[in-house]
Amino acid sequence: MNKVSFVMINGIDYLISHRILDYVYLIDVDNPNNFLIRKVKKLGTSEYLEVIEDDEYNEALNLFKEKYN
């Protein structure tokens, strides 16, 4: 059985839907059209950094597409 994990960011509960390399893909529990991509700050922790750079964001999106298309 897979473990379901959640994280709260700015008062919004997000489901951690996927993790690929250092990226986590988050979906708003109350609004599935709202999603975030974050980068793990330090392995083994639940601290996440915002992916701000366009190149890095695009890299994270491409990793997701490659894995699930």
Side-chain angles (χ1 to χ4, degrees), residues 7-19 23-29 31-39 48-51 57 60-61 64:
V7 63
M8 183 178 279
I9 299 174
N10 297 328
I12 299 173
D13 288 320
Y14 288 92
L15 168 71
I16 299 174
S17 67
H18 296 85
R19 181 169 176 174
Y23 298 105
V24 289
Y25 301 80
L26 309 167
I27 299 173
D28 183 339
V29 173
N31 179 5
N33 293 320
N34 180 23
F35 68 94
L36 299 174
I37 299 173
R38 293 290 191 259
K39 189 170 186 175
Y48 305 113
L49 300 172
E50 189 168 354
V51 178
Y57 190 84
L61 283 176
F64 187 86

